[in-house]
Amino acid sequence: MKARHVVACGLGPILTLLLNPATGLAHENREYDCRPDTKYECTADQCQKITSDFQHAESFAYNEETGEISACLWTNCYADKATVFRDPTARTLTVIGRLIPTAHSGNEPIIVSLTIENSKTDDTRNFTAIWGYRSEGLTFDMGKCVIQEYDKGSKR
């Protein structure tokens, strides 16, 4: 009985520190808002580089707190939970998901992977997003993510 009482008493102050934002240990969270500036449409034979007339219609996002990846691609937006891969050696974060249409539910789901550079100390990161996976090719976008940090659990 004494051993359990000691453990329980020892955890109380630790839990108070971790759960009470007033202690200064409130956890930050991140949301990555990614906008492309270059796009490649690729087939097995070649890739075509596109540098204009698509930036307004394509964007990607990842929210660490919810674990959700989303993409807006021209006339539809898509979202769902992501599988997350962190590569400390390459200093990248890759999130992949089979995203469900949110604007036009009759559209097919799409697979999107988003790889974000994690080596900088400012609030922007380079990214590559791959989507439009199909037997004859794929599309990938490259650009910058802006990171928004906020207190975990805060209303956004």
Side-chain angles (χ1 to χ4, degrees):
M1 259 308 218
K2 275 189 172 180
R4 273 193 246 161
H5 180 70
V6 170
V7 170
C9 290
L11 290 178
I14 292 171
L15 288 175
T16 301
L17 285 172
L18 291 174
L19 298 176
N20 185 355
T23 63
L25 294 176
H27 295 287
E28 292 290 307
N29 210 334
R30 290 183 175 178
E31 185 170 271
Y32 299 86
D33 179 15
C34 306
R35 307 293 171 143
D37 53 33
T38 304
K39 173 178 173 173
Y40 293 87
E41 292 179 348
C42 299
T43 64
D45 298 328
Q46 66 180 358
C47 288
Q48 178 183 0
K49 183 178 182 179
I50 301 169
T51 57
S52 63
D53 297 331
F54 71 93
Q55 291 89 346
H56 68 285
E58 297 179 12
S59 65
F60 305 88
Y62 173 63
N63 183 301
E64 285 185 341
E65 183 175 9
T66 64
E68 185 175 271
I69 180 176
S70 60
C72 287
L73 303 167
W74 295 90
T75 61
N76 207 345
C77 292
Y78 304 81
D80 211 339
K81 292 289 184 185
T83 299
V84 179
F85 301 92
R86 296 183 189 278
D87 185 341
T89 304
R91 294 181 146 170
T92 59
L93 166 70
T94 299
V95 294
I96 300 172
R98 182 176 182 268
L99 309 186
I100 307 301
T102 59
H104 304 289
S105 59
N107 288 15
E108 292 292 317
I110 63 168
I111 295 172
V112 173
S113 67
L114 178 61
T115 299
I116 303 166
E117 166 192 48
N118 242 356
S119 61
K120 291 183 168 183
T121 57
D122 63 8
D123 64 350
T124 62
R125 303 286 191 274
N126 294 323
F127 83 91
T128 301
I130 302 173
W131 58 280
Y133 290 89
R134 55 200 181 281
S135 61
E136 59 276 345
L138 55 80
T139 301
F140 70 94
D141 291 357
M142 301 172 81
K144 300 272 186 225
C145 295
V146 174
I147 299 172
Q148 300 169 350
E149 293 196 15
Y150 54 94
D151 291 338
K152 188 172 183 174
S154 69
K155 298 200 184 214
R156 302 228 351 107

